Amino acid sequence: MSASGHPTSATGPLPADTTEDVRARRPTMAVLPIGSFEQHGAFLPLTTDTVIACTIAREVAAGRPVQVLPPLTVSCSHEHADWPGTVSISARTLHAVVTDIADSLHRSGIGTLILINGHGGNYVLRNVVQESAGRGVRMALFPGSADWDAARTRAGVETPSHTDMHAGEVETSILLHAHPELVKEGYESADCVADDRKQLLTLGMSAYTESGVIGRPSLASARKGRELLAGLTEAFGEYVALFTDRAAADA
């Protein structure tokens, strides 16, 4: 159990609502954290992307009538297969699971689903959102690249987004702020820059890094992590307003 009394997992506190809690709150929107179970070097856990997605979901849902769903922890991490511990599912399986969840929410009266994606390799989620038009469920993918760019600027992140690909400044900063107990020693000297990685999808991560890191985690700080989350929370307000306005227009 967590200090708040909520049940916990390897990814953090799990939603503890009862069905009556949901009925009383009457949410019209749900957020689904989607992470991964993949290597993040020697100093961050396999669940890093899932922890980050759950942390973002918790922050953006606070104070809003939003249903936070349990995370999808295993996703599309095939480019990390050369490292022990990494587990993947196919893109078609992830597509099917997310679509089924959206359909189930729609049947229970929730017509908007925001996918909180913590893993850049989940490319298929863009297709899921694209195909949602006309299915009766409004969907979006968050954070988008513009949301991350604004949050990075706010936090004073020094590493360019292309360079900061994996287990770098941003991911390490968020965990140093939200879950410092998960960050092991060694990130201060684990920098690896590999900007020329044109064949990443074909060759995998191991063609460009021995450690599994691509980025500069040495620049990470808890302060940057706090500001990154604050920036993303602010950006999420635009999504809430968008879907609130659309729902009002449809009424």
Side-chain angles (χ1 to χ4, degrees):
M1 299 290 286
S2 69
S4 64
H6 289 176
T8 59
S9 71
T11 60
L14 292 170
D17 288 336
T18 68
T19 187
E20 293 306 317
D21 293 331
V22 177
R23 190 196 306 275
R25 197 165 62 249
R26 300 178 63 186
T28 59
M29 176 185 296
V31 295
L32 175 63
I34 304 174
S36 70
F37 197 79
E38 66 187 30
Q39 70 83 20
H40 275 77
F43 55 88
L44 296 182
L46 293 162
T47 55
T48 290
D49 291 341
T50 306
V51 172
I52 290 174
C54 288
T55 301
I56 294 172
R58 183 189 68 234
E59 294 287 328
V60 302
R64 295 185 170 113
V66 174
Q67 182 172 353
V68 179
L69 301 173
L72 299 183
T73 302
V74 178
S75 61
C76 304
S77 301
H78 306 85
E79 67 273 25
H80 299 274
D82 289 331
W83 278 271
T86 297
V87 181
S88 292
I89 58 176
S90 70
R92 61 183 176 274
T93 298
L94 182 59
H95 187 297
V97 169
V98 174
T99 301
D100 284 353
I101 289 172
D103 289 344
S104 179
L105 288 167
H106 185 244
R107 288 192 296 272
S108 69
I110 295 179
T112 299
L113 175 61
I114 310 296
L115 309 179
I116 309 292
N117 183 37
H119 173 47
N122 290 334
Y123 311 110
V124 72
L125 296 179
R126 296 172 62 88
N127 298 114
V128 175
V129 173
Q130 179 188 38
E131 295 168 11
S132 67
R135 291 180 58 88
V137 179
R138 295 177 294 270
M139 296 178 67
L141 188 60
F142 181 83
S145 57
D147 304 317
W148 275 118
D149 288 345
R152 290 167 62 88
T153 298
R154 172 176 177 152
V157 172
E158 299 175 55
T159 316
S161 58
H162 179 73
T163 302
D164 193 42
M165 178 198 173
H166 190 69
E169 184 178 359
V170 164
E171 291 187 321
T172 306
S173 290
I174 291 176
L175 287 193
L176 282 172
H177 165 64
H179 294 281
E181 73 281 1
L182 298 181
V183 182
K184 295 184 177 181
E185 295 181 358
Y187 72 90
E188 303 92 341
S189 58
D191 291 4
C192 174
V193 175
D195 286 348
D196 184 6
R197 46 180 195 272
K198 297 177 183 178
Q199 304 302 326
L200 176 68
L201 294 183
T202 300
L203 301 177
M205 287 277 290
S206 61
Y208 302 99
T209 172
E210 294 183 4
S211 66
V213 175
I214 295 182
R216 295 191 290 174
S218 67
L219 299 176
S221 71
R223 180 199 62 79
K224 291 177 182 177
R226 182 182 68 247
E227 291 302 312
L228 282 162
L229 289 173
L232 294 177
T233 301
E234 182 176 307
F236 189 75
E238 298 179 16
Y239 290 72
V240 173
L242 170 66
F243 287 114
T244 299
D245 292 344
R246 288 190 61 182
D250 293 341

